[in-house]
């Protein structure tokens, strides 16, 4: 199911199709991706698909969705848009892309689409959490026009750089 589209991307729900499960597993078992994520024990793509589907069904504004390149059909990665776990209602945008899709602007494009969708649904602001040292993701935040708020340890028990974009800032 398509959630939204951008010029080059189709953002859709992840499915239990073997191609989706294989691609998701390939993304979330790569050290160059997981080093920037909160720690988790193992990765089960089928369980992730089911959990993300149920989450989206509870509130269709939010989810973790596949970012598919329109021209090739390749799934570049995931864009997420959700209340920050353990937060006080703050909504975050995030992205996890396969290394073979880095450097093409897909993270910025997918995140911009998610943010615009959130603002259209009435959100006043959106946040991003970036692990210290993840300069590529910090650059995505800057391209989105996000304000750097500094470091925080409020979420996931980890230190992160926090960014914010307000609806009047024009994603």
């Amino acid at each position: 199911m398509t959630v939204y589209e951008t010029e080059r991307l189709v953002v859709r729900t992840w499915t239990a199709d073997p191609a989706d499960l294989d691609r998701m597993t390939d993304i979330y078992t790569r050290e160059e991706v997981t080093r920037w994520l909160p720690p988790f024990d193992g990765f089960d793509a089928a369980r992730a698909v089911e959990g993300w589907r149920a989450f989206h069904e509870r509130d269709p504004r939010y989810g973790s969705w596949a970012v598919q390149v329109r021209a090739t059909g390749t799934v570049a990665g995931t864009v997420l848009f959700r209340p920050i776990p353990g937060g006080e209602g703050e909504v975050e945008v995030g992205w996890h892309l396969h290394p073979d899709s880095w450097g093409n602007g897909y993270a910025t494009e997918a995140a911009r689409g998610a943010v615009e969708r959130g603002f259209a649904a009435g959100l006043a602001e959106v946040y991003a959490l970036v692990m210290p040292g993840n300069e590529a993701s910090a650059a995505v935040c800057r391209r989105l026009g996000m304000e750097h708020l500094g470091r925080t340890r409020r979420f996931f028990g980890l230190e992160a750089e926090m960014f914010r974009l307000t609806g009047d800032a024009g994603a």
Side-chain angles (χ1 to χ4, degrees):
M1 173 185 101
T2 299
V3 178
Y4 64 92
E5 297 185 33
T6 68
E7 182 179 337
R8 300 179 298 157
L9 306 171
V10 175
V11 176
R12 62 170 176 78
T13 54
W14 282 101
T15 71
D17 181 277
D20 268 9
L21 297 178
D22 288 348
R23 183 65 167 177
M24 187 186 282
T25 299
D26 190 21
I27 293 166
Y28 288 102
T29 58
R30 289 181 170 270
E31 190 277 333
E32 62 263 48
V33 174
T34 60
R35 68 185 285 205
W36 304 116
L37 303 177
F40 55 88
D41 291 326
F43 183 75
D44 181 333
R47 193 170 74 215
V49 165
E50 182 56 30
W52 292 348
R53 182 198 56 74
F55 184 76
H56 180 70
E57 285 179 357
R58 281 193 301 278
D59 190 333
R61 294 177 300 174
Y62 305 125
S64 294
W65 305 301
V67 176
Q68 186 169 334
V69 179
R70 186 187 312 274
T72 64
T74 300
V75 174
T78 299
V79 64
L80 60 91
F81 195 75
R82 65 180 183 185
I84 302 173
E88 298 171 358
E90 302 94 339
V91 173
E92 76 170 320
V93 63
W95 44 88
H96 312 139
L97 271 62
H98 192 284
D100 68 12
S101 296
W102 292 353
N104 295 297
Y106 299 146
T108 304
E109 188 172 333
R112 182 171 284 120
V115 167
E116 289 172 351
R117 191 173 175 272
F119 288 154
L123 287 177
E125 56 191 11
V126 174
Y127 294 85
L129 298 170
V130 175
M131 300 295 272
N134 187 343
E135 294 305 322
S137 283
V140 171
C141 292
R142 288 190 294 276
R143 283 192 293 276
L144 292 170
M146 298 184 107
E147 171 190 9
H148 183 239
L149 301 177
R151 289 198 180 180
T152 183
R153 291 191 65 85
R154 287 184 51 212
F155 309 101
F156 307 106
L158 300 171
E159 188 171 52
E161 301 289 345
M162 191 164 187
F163 294 82
R164 177 182 62 208
L165 183 66
T166 57
D168 57 6

